[in-house]
Amino acid sequence: MRSRRKKYQWKALWKSADKLRGSVEPAEYKHVVLSLFFLKFASDKFEAQRAKIIANGQEKFADMVAFYTKDNVFFLPPECRWSYIMENAKQEDIALKIDTALYTIEKTNPALKGALPDNYYSRLGIDTAKLASLLDEINKINTDDQENDIIGRVYEYFLGKFALAEGKGKGEFYTPKCIVNLIAEMIEPYSGILYDPCCGSGGMFVQSVKFVEAHRGNKKNISIYGQEYTSTTYKLAKMNLAIRGISANLGEQAANTFTNDQHKDLKADFIMANPPFNQKEWRGDGELVDDPRWDGYEVPPTSNANYGWILNIVSKLSHDGVAGFLLANGALSDDSTELKIRQQLIENDLVEAIVILPRNLFYTTDISVTLWILNKNKKARMVEQNGSAKRYRDREGEILFMDLRQMGSPFEKKYIELTEEDRAKVTAVYHNWQEEGFETTYQDVPEFCYSAKRDEVQEKGYTLVPSRYIEFINRDENIDFDTKMKTLQGELKELLVEEEKSKADLLAVFKELGYEIKL
């Protein structure tokens, strides 16, 4: 019942937002909605904290900022509270009141510096009646979410809805939680510096922190660094993290990672990223040719940023750093300059695992993509990890290939998601392959996984396409043609019988109505 109610709420919210059509560009809807939703979420949390303070007999402290911030609750002056916004929802100056509320909240709460839109609603010039209708729908939503992840889920919903409006590949890339969870479960970012060079709305960070907490780790042991190019998304990321009490350094401003690196000297222990797929013309001819991030490698071609992202990630890894990131499948076998860089990565023993993911995992593209795992230290060593010791074997000169295209379950009709069981299976294989004693815990499995030696990769021309290494079974050789045709014959007969019955029923209905159809 609860999930049905939430689904209804999201649909109603979408319908209300869709009424903005004509006065606001479709690509702006999500930002219009999410800032208002943040306002309600923050206000509801404030009111709950205020009631708790009063119930504890501390009413004289009910207007002290410290009694809210200590529990990661933002303090809201009266003119910033949702109740005040709703009281004035139908006033002609409601847009100005919303802008004032957001400005005041940001000034009152340093953790929100640079997170909230500035004079946004006044500039949009939304019709008062349409804005009031949207406020009414948001007002109906229950923000009492024990997982504290409601903004993330609303954002995911809206990106899905707007993917079609913006055109596939044109919208922002929201990384589904199941993929972020898979990356976190594989590289295990328990402590140290975590970096995302294209952090979007901060989803990688949110899920990573949840991973640590779920494994009884301490999120205070993680230092988060990121960068985002789009100003509105940069603000959304700061808002998304602040509302969860996650401290992060996202740079002084929204900026292009390649041309205005906000963390030039950073060395990260863990990197998680979902860069834009096949980004074109990412640097002009002759630009960034001498960038230190390419030291020791060929300069990535202007025509496609895939290997620019890879080398940026490599340059940011610490001595023992591990990275998990997504790229379009073409990066596995691109020729020319990409081939030379890929060869250098393999010869430098940085590539640890290549994992092909199922199609239809993303809202904004239906292509199959690849998860790359890079590791700066594949030598045998023991690592203290979350209170226990993990013994890694020497994996130098080896790469694990995995193919997950036969995994996944239907999700919201036309999408696929990797279930918890799917991820547990993949993660277990990967970790068994990494650790001492793998001879008894890991084995190559046709159509699923294969551990390749560097010599094999060299012989195949440094391609990283998993199907060039993983054994695939030719099922056509085992098909009994007669049995298959008899099965199809039976299925077709059933369909034809059903069709005739439907036809007869339809003719009977028209005859009863006095409009007999004679064939």
Side-chain angles (χ1 to χ4, degrees):
M1 188 69 189
R2 188 178 174 189
S3 64
R4 281 185 184 175
R5 186 167 66 247
K6 283 183 178 176
K7 207 172 260 188
Y8 170 77
Q9 289 174 342
W10 297 164
K11 284 175 107 175
L13 189 56
W14 157 250
K15 285 181 181 177
S16 184
D18 199 38
K19 291 176 184 176
L20 300 174
R21 191 179 297 276
S23 55
V24 178
E25 288 296 318
E28 290 288 332
Y29 291 0
K30 54 185 171 289
H31 301 296
V32 173
V33 172
L34 286 165
S35 294
L36 292 176
F37 193 82
F38 167 81
L39 191 55
K40 182 177 192 301
F41 184 90
S43 188
D44 287 353
K45 293 297 179 187
F46 168 84
E47 296 293 357
Q49 183 78 350
R50 183 180 179 83
K52 183 179 173 184
I53 291 169
I54 294 171
N56 289 338
Q58 299 175 312
E59 189 169 354
K60 62 181 179 180
F61 302 120
D63 291 321
M64 292 185 65
V65 176
F67 275 72
Y68 296 86
T69 55
K70 70 182 180 65
D71 292 322
N72 292 320
V73 175
F74 301 120
F75 180 83
L76 275 60
E79 69 274 19
C80 303
R81 297 169 195 172
W82 188 253
S83 55
Y84 176 79
I85 297 297
M86 291 308 299
E87 285 168 10
N88 293 276
K90 293 179 172 57
Q91 300 297 316
E92 288 298 321
D93 66 344
I94 184 58
L96 177 60
K97 282 183 165 62
I98 292 170
D99 282 333
T100 301
L102 293 170
Y103 173 83
T104 306
I105 292 172
E106 186 172 314
K107 291 300 178 186
T108 308
N109 299 273
L112 287 171
K113 183 183 178 183
L116 303 180
D118 180 25
N119 198 31
Y120 182 60
Y121 294 88
S122 299
R123 283 188 287 108
L124 286 174
I126 303 172
D127 177 76
T128 300
K130 290 181 178 180
L131 185 52
S133 174
L134 178 58
L135 289 169
D136 283 338
E137 289 302 334
I138 292 174
N139 191 49
K140 295 174 186 176
I141 294 177
N142 177 16
T143 62
D144 182 19
D145 186 343
Q146 296 302 313
E147 292 184 0
N148 216 24
D149 191 31
I150 198 158
I151 280 188
R153 288 189 286 110
V154 173
Y155 185 65
E156 182 174 359
Y157 176 82
F158 268 76
L159 268 184
K161 281 304 224 179
F162 297 122
L164 293 176
E166 296 177 10
K168 285 197 172 182
K170 294 181 182 177
E172 294 164 68
F173 284 78
Y174 180 88
T175 313
K177 285 184 202 171
C178 67
I179 301 178
V180 182
N181 285 335
L182 176 63
I183 298 173
E185 288 157 6
M186 290 180 78
I187 71 174
E188 300 180 310
Y190 285 112
S191 63
I193 293 175
L194 174 63
Y195 168 65
D196 184 343
C198 42
C199 67
S201 62
M204 292 279 188
F205 301 138
V206 172
Q207 295 306 315
S208 296
V209 168
K210 285 188 174 183
F211 166 81
V212 170
E213 293 177 332
H215 291 78
R216 295 190 175 88
N218 188 342
K219 70 179 183 182
K220 292 181 179 178
N221 292 334
I222 303 175
S223 298
I224 290 174
Y225 291 80
Q227 184 159 345
E228 171 54 36
Y229 177 65
T230 307
S231 179
T232 48
T233 308
Y234 170 82
K235 288 179 178 292
L236 182 58
K238 298 199 76 168
M239 179 176 71
N240 204 8
L241 296 171
I243 206 167
R244 294 173 169 85
I246 300 173
S247 298
N249 181 344
L250 303 186
E252 291 299 313
Q253 59 190 337
N256 185 314
T257 302
F258 294 120
T259 59
N260 188 4
D261 186 357
Q262 299 283 290
H263 307 291
K264 288 184 177 178
D265 300 319
L266 180 72
K267 292 297 179 182
D269 302 295
F270 301 97
I271 297 177
M272 298 173 67
N274 178 20
F277 299 152
N278 300 320
Q279 188 178 356
K280 308 299 181 189
E281 305 305 324
W282 60 283
R283 65 175 185 87
D285 290 332
E287 295 182 16
L288 297 176
V289 173
D290 298 320
D291 195 288
R293 285 172 288 188
W294 328 140
D295 283 354
Y297 293 89
E298 296 286 321
V299 178
T302 306
S303 58
N304 193 314
N306 286 340
Y307 278 81
W309 286 112
I310 293 175
L311 294 185
N312 176 74
I313 287 169
V314 169
S315 74
K316 301 293 186 186
L317 283 173
S318 66
H319 180 266
D320 296 326
V322 183
F325 55 91
L326 303 172
L327 287 176
N329 288 353
L332 301 171
S333 57
D334 283 339
D335 292 330
S336 189
T337 304
E338 288 96 333
L339 171 59
K340 292 178 182 176
I341 298 174
R342 190 166 60 250
Q343 178 178 343
Q344 290 169 305
L345 292 169
I346 293 167
E347 294 293 348
N348 291 340
D349 219 6
L350 290 172
V351 183
E352 173 149 90
I354 297 291
V355 184
I356 290 284
L357 300 175
R359 294 183 61 166
N360 296 318
L361 282 168
F362 292 85
Y363 284 127
T364 45
T365 180
D366 62 357
I367 65 172
S368 172
V369 302
T370 309
L371 166 58
W372 292 55
I373 305 287
L374 302 185
N375 196 331
K376 286 287 285 286
N377 187 354
K378 293 162 69 174
K379 295 178 180 177
R381 60 194 177 106
M382 186 178 75
V383 176
E384 288 291 333
Q385 198 174 75
N386 204 28
S388 60
K390 194 165 186 177
R391 296 180 180 277
Y392 290 98
R393 68 182 183 88
D394 189 339
R395 287 127 31 235
E396 291 183 303
E398 295 181 41
I399 300 174
L400 177 65
F401 291 94
M402 301 186 76
D403 191 322
L404 313 189
R405 288 177 296 177
Q406 295 185 43
M407 300 179 78
S409 300
F411 176 66
E412 292 188 0
K413 294 183 180 178
K414 58 181 180 179
Y415 301 111
I416 290 292
E417 71 171 349
L418 294 172
T419 64
E420 190 174 342
E421 292 74 21
D422 292 332
R423 300 197 311 271
K425 179 180 178 181
V426 174
T427 304
V429 169
Y430 173 63
H431 289 156
N432 287 341
W433 175 83
Q434 284 185 310
E435 296 169 21
E436 284 186 0
F438 90 109
E439 297 87 355
T440 58
T441 59
Y442 169 84
Q443 62 179 0
D444 295 333
V445 178
E447 302 186 342
F448 180 47
C449 62
Y450 181 81
S451 179
K453 301 291 187 184
R454 185 161 50 203
D455 290 349
E456 296 176 74
V457 180
Q458 291 170 339
E459 288 171 8
K460 295 183 185 296
Y462 295 97
T463 178
L464 290 175
V465 177
S467 60
R468 295 290 305 276
Y469 304 93
I470 297 172
E471 179 187 354
F472 280 81
I473 300 168
N474 185 355
R475 292 185 173 84
D476 292 341
E477 295 177 353
N478 302 319
I479 291 177
D480 185 322
F481 183 78
D482 184 57
T483 300
K484 185 66 175 177
M485 288 304 295
K486 285 180 179 177
T487 300
L488 291 173
Q489 182 185 40
E491 291 174 354
L492 184 58
K493 182 180 178 181
E494 288 180 11
L495 287 172
L496 292 173
V497 168
E498 288 178 11
E499 183 183 357
E500 285 298 320
K501 186 177 183 304
S502 297
K503 178 179 168 184
D505 290 343
L506 184 62
L507 292 173
V509 168
F510 271 80
K511 185 175 182 180
E512 287 178 14
L513 294 172
Y515 296 91
E516 182 178 2
I517 299 173
K518 294 183 179 180
L519 301 176

